[in-house]
Amino acid sequence: MITSKDNASYKRVRTAMREHRDEIVIEGPKAVADAIAAGWKPIPLPAFSPTLLKSITDTKTSQGVIGLFQRPRWKAEQIFSRADALVVALDGVQDPGNVGTIVRLAAAFDTAGIVLLPGCADPFGPKAIRASAGAILNVPIVSMAADELLATKKSIFVADADGSTNDLPAGILVLGSEGQGVSPALRGRAKAVAIETSGRVESLNVAAAAAIFLWRSFRRRTGA
Amino acid sequence: MITSKDNASYKRVRTAMREHRDEIVIEGPKAVADAIAAGWKPIPLPAFSPTLLKSITDTKTSQGVIGLFQRPRWKAEQIFSRADALVVALDGVQDPGNVGTIVRLAAAFDTAGIVLLPGCADPFGPKAIRASAGAILNVPIVSMAADELLATKKSIFVADADGSTNDLPAGILVLGSEGQGVSPALRGRAKAVAIETSGRVESLNVAAAAAIFLWRSFRRRTGA
């Protein structure tokens, strides 16, 4: 059983927790089992002492079990090939809890996938993975620049108080940060869509807005 | 300018941040100004040194300004007197970010107010206040036991995968913790309501579910 912080496998896990660039960490027995069941290949690890494990993951989340996996890589075609469904593009959404919650919503409402524009929190970081509640395993996610998104020639929608409140047809829904909103390059090429509110708040939390838009799109497509 | 952690006003602010029982702290110049504009009475404080202020609040949120206020107390009648609107009751919702986001949604979708059943995070704690994005100032909130809620004789709804997916009429929507759900005492007396999903997730985040239910109720009432 590994007890030293100088151990190479320990350092590798710690790097994956912090950087989640090529390898990522999944925490908890159920989440690790689900990842393997979803076809993710675990990277063999030695057993770490409880003290060592506690230094990188909180006991409540991991319950003493973590798995190290290759970071999944999706292709843009896997997202844009579905003609009927909505794609969500996040523009500068910095909070990993919001990003993970939107990954969960994308699975719940069968969104084609998520495009990360610059300035977003990484959905494969520990906090975002927890917020995704397992959905990170099967939602296609790609990173892209705004001009690549425009090059897809799909219909683009952005949330705006003055926009249409009708249901969204298929296309790309861009959600921006609450402070900055969506970048002007995209805004200028997009149709404005809105969620009716009482006017007693200036804006909605980005994950709450996503919940309403994605559910409406799902219900329209399934005819429920 | 106060520089000592032994200062009585400093201790009072620190207690309010931690316990938020009778006095609460609002952070940031805009939030403090909004609280005063909403009729909240600030409790006079001496100026604290930047170092001292930094020891209780992060600079980004406070921008060097905090206000100490009496904790607002609402009466149950202020919530239950509105015949048309939905009331949200939270049952064991422990995450302050979720509680604050639901306060924000209650303002956005003109909900009559929020009932806190046992086991919820305090909406007047710093993290929940931040998540409410100012809505904490004008959403009526009361604490109540399950049997007091039943004694109101209002229609009670709980989210359940097998429930009706129709729009909610006026009444009380009970949202439980994601792990435990709604307590059996309430569940047995409630009508089940549901949000259609793809079935690819076991549940929705409680604030995401609230977003969809409250928006639907708002749209039904306003006929939008």
Side-chain angles (χ1 to χ4, degrees):
Chain A
M1 183 172 289
I2 307 298
T3 57
S4 164
K5 292 195 175 180
D6 293 325
N7 175 268
S9 292
Y10 171 79
K11 286 183 176 171
R12 187 171 170 181
V13 168
R14 205 182 47 189
T15 301
M17 293 283 282
R18 199 174 44 215
E19 300 181 0
H20 29 89
R21 208 168 28 211
D22 299 314
E23 295 176 348
I24 63 168
V25 175
I26 299 283
E27 301 169 275
K30 185 172 180 305
V32 170
D34 287 349
I36 294 167
W40 288 24
K41 301 271 177 269
I43 295 161
L45 288 175
F48 297 127
S49 75
T51 312
L52 207 57
L53 203 61
K54 240 169 131 166
S55 71
I56 36 172
T57 169
D58 71 291
T59 321
K60 206 182 142 195
T61 306
S62 76
Q63 296 169 62
V65 177
I66 59 169
L68 183 65
F69 295 89
Q70 290 292 327
R71 180 180 171 130
R73 301 285 173 192
W74 301 89
K75 291 191 172 63
E77 304 89 87
Q78 292 174 285
I79 292 181
F80 291 109
S81 60
R82 279 181 58 189
D84 64 320
L86 203 61
V87 170
V88 178
L90 303 182
D91 190 9
V93 176
Q94 290 173 16
D95 180 81
N98 280 335
V99 172
T101 300
I102 293 171
V103 172
R104 186 175 178 181
L105 290 164
F109 301 127
D110 200 25
T111 302
I114 294 179
V115 171
L116 298 171
L117 294 162
C120 290
D122 186 352
F124 292 94
K127 201 180 162 194
I129 288 179
R130 281 198 292 276
S132 84
I136 193 70
L137 298 178
N138 56 41
V139 172
I141 301 173
V142 295
S143 292
M144 217 176 249
D147 55 356
E148 294 175 89
L149 196 67
L150 291 168
T152 64
K153 310 251 188 243
K154 300 252 180 189
S155 304
I156 296 181
F157 306 95
V158 298
D160 187 292
D162 297 326
S164 158
T165 57
N166 293 337
D167 280 347
L168 286 177
I172 302 165
L173 172 67
V174 186
L175 297 170
S177 74
E178 290 173 46
Q180 307 276 319
V182 169
S183 56
L186 285 171
R187 187 170 286 276
R189 299 277 292 275
K191 297 184 188 78
V193 290
I195 293 168
E196 310 88 330
T197 74
S198 67
R200 283 168 57 198
V201 294
E202 282 171 27
S203 61
L204 294 173
N205 163 277
V206 65
I212 297 165
F213 279 124
L214 298 195
W215 172 78
R216 289 181 69 176
S217 168
F218 176 75
R219 209 176 56 157
R220 180 189 61 75
R221 277 180 283 132
T222 58
Chain B
M1 183 172 292
I2 308 298
T3 57
S4 165
K5 292 195 176 181
D6 294 326
N7 175 269
S9 292
Y10 171 78
K11 287 182 177 172
R12 187 171 170 181
V13 168
R14 206 182 44 188
T15 302
M17 292 283 281
R18 200 173 41 215
E19 299 179 2
H20 29 90
R21 207 167 32 209
D22 300 315
E23 295 176 349
I24 63 170
V25 175
I26 299 283
E27 301 168 275
K30 184 173 182 306
V32 169
D34 287 347
I36 293 167
W40 287 24
K41 301 273 177 264
I43 294 162
L45 289 175
F48 296 126
S49 75
T51 312
L52 208 56
L53 202 62
K54 240 168 131 165
S55 70
I56 37 172
T57 168
D58 71 292
T59 321
K60 207 183 142 196
T61 306
S62 75
Q63 295 169 60
V65 177
I66 58 169
L68 183 67
F69 295 89
Q70 291 291 327
R71 180 181 170 128
R73 300 285 172 192
W74 301 89
K75 290 190 173 64
E77 304 89 87
Q78 292 174 285
I79 291 179
F80 292 108
S81 60
R82 278 181 59 189
D84 64 320
L86 203 61
V87 171
V88 178
L90 303 182
D91 190 9
V93 177
Q94 290 173 15
D95 180 82
N98 280 335
V99 171
T101 300
I102 293 170
V103 171
R104 185 175 179 184
L105 290 164
F109 300 127
D110 199 25
T111 302
I114 294 179
V115 171
L116 297 171
L117 294 162
C120 290
D122 187 352
F124 292 95
K127 200 180 161 194
I129 289 179
R130 280 199 292 276
S132 84
I136 193 70
L137 298 177
N138 58 40
V139 172
I141 301 172
V142 295
S143 291
M144 216 175 250
D147 55 357
E148 294 175 89
L149 195 68
L150 291 169
T152 64
K153 311 250 189 244
K154 299 252 180 189
S155 304
I156 296 181
F157 305 95
V158 298
D160 187 293
D162 297 326
S164 158
T165 57
N166 292 337
D167 279 349
L168 285 177
I172 302 165
L173 172 67
V174 186
L175 297 169
S177 74
E178 289 173 46
Q180 307 275 319
V182 170
S183 56
L186 285 170
R187 187 170 284 276
R189 299 276 293 273
K191 296 184 189 77
V193 290
I195 293 168
E196 309 88 329
T197 74
S198 67
R200 282 168 56 196
V201 295
E202 282 172 27
S203 61
L204 293 172
N205 164 278
V206 65
I212 297 165
F213 280 124
L214 299 193
W215 172 77
R216 290 181 68 175
S217 168
F218 175 75
R219 209 178 54 158
R220 182 189 58 77
R221 278 179 283 132
T222 57

